[in-house]
Amino acid sequence: MAAWTALSARIRELDALAGASSVLEWDQQTQAPPKSADSRGEQSALLQRIYHERFTAPEVGGWLSELEGGALDATQAASVRLLRRKYDRAVGIPTKLVEALAVARSEGFHAWVAAKAADDFTSFAPKLQRLLDLTREQAAALGAARCAHPYDALLEEYDPGSTVGELRPMFERLGTELGTFLTAVESRPHPAAFEPKLDVEGQRRLSERVLRDLGFDMLGGRLDKSAHPFSIGLGPGDVRLTTRFMEDNFLSGLGSTIHECGHGMYEQGLPNSLAGTGLNQAAGMGLHESQSRFWENFIGRSLPFFRYLAPRMGAIWPTHDFAPEQMFGAANRVQRSLVRVEADEATYNLHIIVRFGLEVAVMEGQLQATDLPGAWDEAYRRTVGVTAPSAKEGVLQDVHWSSGLLGYFPSYTIGNLYAASFSQCMLADLPDLWEHVERGHFAPILGWLRTRVHERGHIMDAPDLFREVAGSRDPVEDLMSHLWSRHGELYGVARPR
Amino acid sequence: MAAWTALSARIRELDALAGASSVLEWDQQTQAPPKSADSRGEQSALLQRIYHERFTAPEVGGWLSELEGGALDATQAASVRLLRRKYDRAVGIPTKLVEALAVARSEGFHAWVAAKAADDFTSFAPKLQRLLDLTREQAAALGAARCAHPYDALLEEYDPGSTVGELRPMFERLGTELGTFLTAVESRPHPAAFEPKLDVEGQRRLSERVLRDLGFDMLGGRLDKSAHPFSIGLGPGDVRLTTRFMEDNFLSGLGSTIHECGHGMYEQGLPNSLAGTGLNQAAGMGLHESQSRFWENFIGRSLPFFRYLAPRMGAIWPTHDFAPEQMFGAANRVQRSLVRVEADEATYNLHIIVRFGLEVAVMEGQLQATDLPGAWDEAYRRTVGVTAPSAKEGVLQDVHWSSGLLGYFPSYTIGNLYAASFSQCMLADLPDLWEHVERGHFAPILGWLRTRVHERGHIMDAPDLFREVAGSRDPVEDLMSHLWSRHGELYGVARPR
């Protein structure tokens, strides 16, 4: 199998190149001095270009064709299937389009930064229109014709296997159910806030403690600070997390740490044994998000978790009194609001539903750039129930579109949905799960995710993996059931029957 | 000039690849978690392989040949000359030899680690012999035949332009002069030590202050901690320094910081305008070392420097009393000793002279691996005047040979010699230099080095640059004159006339 050996060696090379790129990225966001921006940009672009050259080289197509005609074991077959799909997508986009997109993204991003600062959509509109046009072109090049919906060609990049046909009805049902839930909650008073002043160094120490307890391997990773929390794998045995701390907003920093830890433990659990197959990767961004959301929300906002946490906090800040119930209440306040990244666990999904709807309409050709502010406000009024007083809190709030990233937003809610069903399955397998959490004993939980999710890598697409784990469970129902149950006692509301 | 454009673009690419490799290296030594070692090794090796492939590609040779036949301006001519030399060296070593060296270096390094721990040269001898044999082969491939001495082919890698013919008599004279100096100093009592307990965080803050004052641009670099201090350029606008601090050895950490700052300011001063020519590099390791040694020794161990420093130390540690004279004395204690990296400014050179002599004898075929312990002890007795009680303090003390690095050691003393003459030239141009230092006003000093050294890049080899700056000055005389003067009052000795 000379073709397999050659292909596998090339994939290892590409993994190493991607890892090297990630080192540059991590360093840029956490360590690099300001004047490095230009030279670092040149280095990153070069590594990406070399990656693209080596992946799209004709010999790779040749190896794939040769293998497709031969006898393969199950792993090889999965590997060749996945790599063929990625290869065809990578060679499918003409170089001219790649270059035009790179220019438009860079210009779009800078225009967006200025437009958001000036709260002025008009100056951004032409750049956005260019990005939307190029994105439609990109979808066509990526095989939109063979898809049931042109947006599916974009989804494939982040969540292979997910389709508009599946997502649209799920998101619609979820939106309706969330509306009912919100109406019930809004009739009741909010739980009290929790805003003690806690020094940043103590928060950092607590974060490291929590990471270790949850199961993040600090010999194969580290935690740093950055303006925007993120996690990134630099290669096997090297997963970096970042978080941020605010003296007067402890819960926010804690949530970021646990969220990134969920991503990081997924990366640490990916199957090294599949190096050189392309299968030692996450099976999609939605599935990745399911891991972070599971830990952040299902575990990290639970009362048993705050019972585990309170004495550890007391050891760091002995003059404070930490009541688990108060932290639990404060961590689960629900409120319709304007800004996605600050939204609570329930309403967060409404922000995604709005964006998904707009992106689908753009890809259907129903919306142009200049239509977006109006469509945005209308969708927010209808779906979230709030209206932004300014473009910067409205249509200009997210960076994604300014970089031509359409198709990414759904991952967040896909993640919440997967996490909800995984949680229900896990509870069935681990009936004393909450006692484990309260004792800070997270190994059985991580073990469950390792076996069913992490160690599978990208052996199949996330929707198939989800069905293998969760069977015919209904994730919308599982998410709503979790939300009603979590908030029921807190707000004194019961789900209508 | 299509060839020039193509060559220049390739060189920019190679610079970016080298920068990316440096990011991986810096991260590995300062940030990376233990389990990253394997994947990081793979990434680094890949980037180095791609670098080698792209540099030694036949088209590069073609562009060079084409340019060599045409009309070039002065910069292009210097660029083509330098690149031709590097290209011929890079393509000159057969792939088999490259691979054999890589294996022997890795095995040699591991054998040395074990041998040093066990204080047992015998187990290391066969690996070392293999490295010496391969190094002789390498020298032959690098064109030893066209050199006056086979060692010159190795010197060219680190200090292009330096030759055994020039270094041998200089080093011999220096050894004799240092012997006279030491005999004089040894008849006198040592100045008092300076060993207050100073917290590491305070030392770090002081280090950053000193870096800024000396002229290191913190917007284009940073300072971190590592086991072994080093400096590394990650690209224009991004130079990283590391140092180390010990609570009870303030002067050692300060010396490391200033030393690396000297390297870093050279990197920051290299001519960006020459990007894409290969000339925006240091003109040799000896010249690089001259910059670090100048700041560490000539400036950083001077009495005016400690007068500048003492009040800044007092601001950090207000309960201590810092006498500049005491620090000056302690920083300039001279003593024959066993270990190179802990040696004082004067005797350091004796350690280099010993190694240079042994390396030259190896390349002449006069010494084999098993001869080295005896030859080492004999040379130390004769040159340094001490005898190591064990191999680990003797022939096994340095890492260099275990990695096949012959030809590197002379750089350290070349650096001291260049620094000495530069200092004399600078004193002639800046007669009030020491008043500047005492006031913490280092800009004229850095400015002098910028113009005469940094901004020249590799427009010519270091020995030629040295002659351009220092004319016919005698660096051995300048170094000895500096040492006698610096230590004269301190030890109460006068140079014999």
Side-chain angles (χ1 to χ4, degrees):
Chain A
M1 292 271 273
W4 175 256
T5 308
L7 178 67
S8 188
R10 179 64 56 92
I11 298 301
R12 276 177 177 277
E13 265 189 20
L14 293 168
D15 285 352
L17 271 172
S21 287
S22 296
V23 179
L24 303 193
E25 172 74 16
W26 177 85
D27 183 86
Q28 184 67 21
Q29 293 206 36
T30 60
Q31 312 286 328
K35 291 187 182 173
S36 68
D38 287 351
S39 64
R40 181 57 55 83
E42 215 172 305
Q43 292 161 0
S44 290
L46 175 64
L47 292 196
Q48 280 160 36
R49 184 151 55 80
I50 294 174
Y51 184 102
H52 185 76
E53 279 172 19
R54 296 211 166 202
F55 183 42
T56 59
E59 65 263 25
V60 176
W63 297 326
L64 286 170
S65 300
E66 197 182 325
L67 289 163
E68 281 157 347
L72 300 170
D73 66 30
T75 302
Q76 290 170 331
S79 166
V80 167
R81 253 196 322 273
L82 181 67
L83 293 173
R84 161 62 71 189
R85 207 164 60 183
K86 290 192 174 176
Y87 178 80
D88 286 350
R89 284 174 68 83
V91 298
I93 309 191
T95 313
K96 281 212 164 165
L97 180 54
V98 172
E99 286 167 2
L101 269 165
V103 172
R105 281 171 176 160
S106 168
E107 291 182 0
F109 175 75
H110 287 104
W112 169 78
V113 169
K116 189 171 179 182
D119 196 16
D120 163 33
F121 181 83
T122 318
S123 65
F124 177 49
K127 301 289 184 195
L128 180 57
Q129 186 60 49
R130 172 89 179 130
L131 281 163
L132 299 183
D133 292 342
L134 289 172
T135 304
R136 283 189 280 250
E137 240 183 273
Q138 181 194 19
L142 290 174
R146 66 166 164 73
C147 297
H149 192 283
Y151 190 73
D152 290 352
L154 301 180
L155 275 173
E156 215 169 54
E157 183 74 14
Y158 311 108
D159 282 294
S162 288
T163 61
V164 171
E166 267 195 333
L167 293 182
R168 187 142 50 182
M170 272 211 297
F171 281 18
E172 268 170 22
R173 253 182 74 215
L174 181 62
T176 309
E177 296 256 6
L178 284 169
T180 312
F181 170 77
L182 281 172
T183 309
V185 162
E186 278 165 344
S187 66
R188 312 285 310 169
H190 287 301
F194 175 77
E195 289 163 345
K197 234 184 154 68
L198 299 174
D199 66 276
V200 162
E201 174 52 22
Q203 293 192 45
R204 196 196 57 73
R205 278 197 290 141
L206 184 70
S207 272
E208 293 221 338
R209 170 68 196 264
V210 168
L211 287 186
R212 281 176 212 276
D213 285 351
L214 294 181
F216 183 79
D217 178 3
M218 293 293 277
L219 295 176
R222 50 180 288 148
L223 176 71
D224 292 270
K225 285 187 276 186
S226 68
H228 302 282
F230 66 98
S231 69
I232 190 167
L234 309 191
D238 196 358
V239 175
R240 311 280 173 103
L241 314 178
T242 74
T243 189
R244 60 177 162 187
F245 303 111
M246 286 161 281
E247 271 209 335
D248 53 0
N249 197 344
F250 166 76
L251 289 175
S252 166
L254 177 73
S256 293
T257 301
I258 301 176
H259 180 97
E260 301 308 335
C261 179
H263 282 305
M265 293 195 296
Y266 188 8
E267 289 286 321
Q268 290 188 330
L270 288 168
N272 280 336
S273 57
L274 293 181
T277 66
L279 302 172
N280 55 337
Q281 310 285 338
M285 293 315 298
L287 194 63
H288 223 308
E289 209 61 30
S290 79
Q291 300 303 295
S292 52
R293 297 289 165 148
F294 168 81
W295 288 101
E296 178 190 4
N297 292 332
F298 189 72
I299 301 294
R301 292 185 201 265
S302 71
L303 183 54
F305 182 80
F306 287 109
R307 290 204 175 114
Y308 141 78
L309 199 66
R312 271 95 187 163
M313 294 172 70
I316 292 177
W317 298 287
T319 58
H320 283 74
D321 189 32
F322 300 109
E325 293 73 14
Q326 189 196 357
M327 293 196 279
F328 173 62
N332 289 287
R333 288 156 64 107
V334 174
Q335 196 150 21
R336 302 177 196 266
S337 64
L338 285 168
V339 179
R340 176 182 63 87
V341 295
E342 291 163 15
D344 57 79
E345 182 184 358
T347 61
Y348 188 97
N349 300 292
L350 300 176
H351 295 269
I352 299 305
I353 290 169
V354 167
R355 286 156 180 77
F356 171 72
L358 296 175
E359 290 189 348
V360 167
V362 162
M363 293 309 289
E364 288 173 346
Q366 294 176 25
L367 290 177
Q368 302 302 318
T370 49
D371 304 326
L372 279 167
W376 177 284
D377 289 340
E378 165 59 18
Y380 255 79
R381 195 192 49 71
R382 187 165 24 88
T383 307
V384 193
V386 293
T387 304
S390 65
K392 66 182 173 187
E393 289 167 277
V395 69
L396 286 175
Q397 78 175 247
D398 290 309
V399 66
H400 302 58
W401 294 344
S402 79
S403 305
L405 276 183
L406 275 79
Y408 189 89
F409 279 123
S411 306
Y412 300 116
T413 284
I414 294 173
N416 286 332
L417 291 166
Y418 286 169
S421 290
F422 290 159
S423 304
Q424 298 302 329
C425 297
M426 193 186 290
L427 274 172
D429 292 341
L430 302 171
D432 47 0
L433 182 144
W434 294 120
E435 284 102 90
H436 284 303
V437 170
E438 194 165 329
R439 285 187 288 120
H441 185 217
F442 301 100
I445 301 173
L446 179 57
W448 192 98
L449 294 169
R450 283 263 187 270
T451 319
R452 285 159 186 85
V453 181
H454 306 182
E455 288 165 9
R456 312 299 310 278
H458 201 150
I459 202 87
M460 61 185 79
D461 284 347
D464 296 322
L465 187 69
F466 174 78
R467 275 185 284 275
E468 210 182 85
V469 175
S472 59
R473 292 200 71 93
D474 171 3
V476 173
E477 173 53 28
D478 284 338
L479 179 55
M480 290 315 305
S481 158
H482 159 69
L483 291 173
W484 280 105
S485 144
R486 164 78 47 99
H487 297 86
E489 215 177 320
L490 206 52
Y491 276 93
V493 295
R495 190 172 187 180
R497 296 275 152 198
Chain B
M1 290 269 271
W4 175 256
T5 308
L7 178 67
S8 187
R10 179 64 56 91
I11 298 301
R12 276 176 177 277
E13 267 191 18
L14 293 168
D15 285 352
L17 270 172
S21 286
S22 296
V23 178
L24 303 193
E25 171 75 16
W26 176 84
D27 183 87
Q28 185 66 23
Q29 292 206 36
T30 60
Q31 312 285 327
K35 290 187 182 174
S36 67
D38 287 351
S39 64
R40 182 55 56 83
E42 217 173 303
Q43 292 162 359
S44 290
L46 175 64
L47 292 196
Q48 280 160 33
R49 183 151 55 81
I50 294 174
Y51 184 102
H52 185 76
E53 279 171 21
R54 297 209 166 204
F55 183 42
T56 59
E59 65 264 24
V60 176
W63 297 326
L64 286 170
S65 300
E66 198 182 323
L67 289 163
E68 281 158 347
L72 301 170
D73 66 29
T75 302
Q76 290 170 330
S79 166
V80 168
R81 253 195 323 270
L82 180 65
L83 293 172
R84 161 62 71 190
R85 207 165 58 183
K86 289 191 174 178
Y87 179 79
D88 286 349
R89 285 174 67 84
V91 299
I93 308 190
T95 313
K96 281 211 164 167
L97 180 54
V98 172
E99 286 167 2
L101 269 167
V103 172
R105 281 170 176 162
S106 169
E107 290 182 0
F109 175 74
H110 288 104
W112 170 76
V113 170
K116 190 171 179 183
D119 196 16
D120 163 33
F121 180 82
T122 317
S123 66
F124 178 48
K127 301 289 183 195
L128 180 57
Q129 185 60 49
R130 173 88 179 131
L131 281 163
L132 298 183
D133 291 342
L134 289 172
T135 303
R136 281 189 280 249
E137 240 183 89
Q138 182 194 17
L142 288 175
R146 65 166 165 72
C147 298
H149 191 284
Y151 190 72
D152 290 353
L154 301 179
L155 274 174
E156 215 168 54
E157 183 73 14
Y158 311 106
D159 282 293
S162 288
T163 60
V164 170
E166 266 195 334
L167 294 183
R168 187 143 47 186
M170 270 210 298
F171 282 18
E172 266 169 25
R173 250 183 75 215
L174 181 60
T176 309
E177 297 256 5
L178 283 169
T180 312
F181 170 77
L182 281 172
T183 308
V185 161
E186 277 164 344
S187 65
R188 314 284 310 167
H190 285 302
F194 174 76
E195 288 164 346
K197 232 182 158 66
L198 299 173
D199 66 275
V200 161
E201 175 51 24
Q203 292 192 44
R204 196 196 55 72
R205 278 197 291 141
L206 183 70
S207 273
E208 294 221 338
R209 170 69 197 264
V210 168
L211 286 187
R212 282 176 212 276
D213 286 350
L214 294 182
F216 184 77
D217 178 3
M218 293 295 275
L219 296 176
R222 49 179 287 149
L223 175 71
D224 292 272
K225 285 186 277 187
S226 68
H228 302 281
F230 66 98
S231 70
I232 189 167
L234 310 191
D238 195 358
V239 175
R240 311 279 173 103
L241 313 179
T242 74
T243 189
R244 60 178 163 187
F245 304 111
M246 287 161 281
E247 272 208 335
D248 53 1
N249 196 344
F250 167 77
L251 288 175
S252 165
L254 176 73
S256 293
T257 300
I258 301 176
H259 180 98
E260 300 309 334
C261 179
H263 282 304
M265 293 195 297
Y266 186 9
E267 289 287 319
Q268 290 187 330
L270 288 167
N272 281 334
S273 57
L274 293 181
T277 66
L279 302 173
N280 55 338
Q281 311 286 337
M285 294 313 299
L287 194 63
H288 224 307
E289 208 61 31
S290 79
Q291 300 304 293
S292 52
R293 298 288 167 149
F294 168 80
W295 289 101
E296 179 191 4
N297 292 333
F298 189 72
I299 301 294
R301 293 186 201 263
S302 70
L303 182 55
F305 182 79
F306 286 109
R307 290 205 175 113
Y308 141 79
L309 198 66
R312 272 95 186 162
M313 294 173 70
I316 293 178
W317 298 287
T319 58
H320 284 75
D321 189 32
F322 300 109
E325 291 73 15
Q326 188 195 356
M327 294 196 279
F328 172 62
N332 289 288
R333 287 157 64 107
V334 174
Q335 196 151 23
R336 301 178 197 265
S337 65
L338 286 168
V339 178
R340 175 182 64 87
V341 295
E342 292 162 14
D344 58 80
E345 183 184 356
T347 61
Y348 189 96
N349 300 293
L350 300 177
H351 296 268
I352 299 306
I353 290 169
V354 167
R355 287 157 179 76
F356 171 71
L358 295 175
E359 290 189 348
V360 168
V362 161
M363 293 309 289
E364 288 173 345
Q366 294 175 24
L367 290 178
Q368 302 302 318
T370 48
D371 304 327
L372 279 167
W376 177 284
D377 288 340
E378 164 59 17
Y380 256 79
R381 195 191 51 69
R382 187 165 24 88
T383 308
V384 194
V386 292
T387 305
S390 66
K392 67 182 173 187
E393 288 167 278
V395 69
L396 286 175
Q397 78 175 249
D398 290 309
V399 66
H400 302 58
W401 293 344
S402 80
S403 305
L405 276 183
L406 275 79
Y408 189 89
F409 279 123
S411 306
Y412 300 117
T413 284
I414 294 173
N416 286 332
L417 291 166
Y418 286 170
S421 290
F422 289 159
S423 304
Q424 298 302 329
C425 297
M426 192 186 291
L427 274 172
D429 291 342
L430 302 170
D432 47 2
L433 183 144
W434 294 120
E435 284 102 272
H436 284 303
V437 170
E438 192 164 331
R439 285 187 290 120
H441 186 219
F442 301 99
I445 300 173
L446 179 57
W448 193 97
L449 294 169
R450 284 264 187 271
T451 318
R452 284 158 186 86
V453 181
H454 306 182
E455 287 165 10
R456 312 300 310 278
H458 200 150
I459 204 85
M460 61 185 81
D461 285 345
D464 296 322
L465 188 69
F466 174 79
R467 274 185 286 273
E468 209 182 87
V469 175
S472 57
R473 292 200 72 92
D474 172 3
V476 173
E477 172 54 28
D478 284 338
L479 179 55
M480 289 316 304
S481 156
H482 159 69
L483 290 173
W484 280 105
S485 143
R486 166 75 48 95
H487 297 86
E489 214 175 321
L490 206 52
Y491 277 93
V493 294
R495 190 172 188 180
R497 295 278 148 195

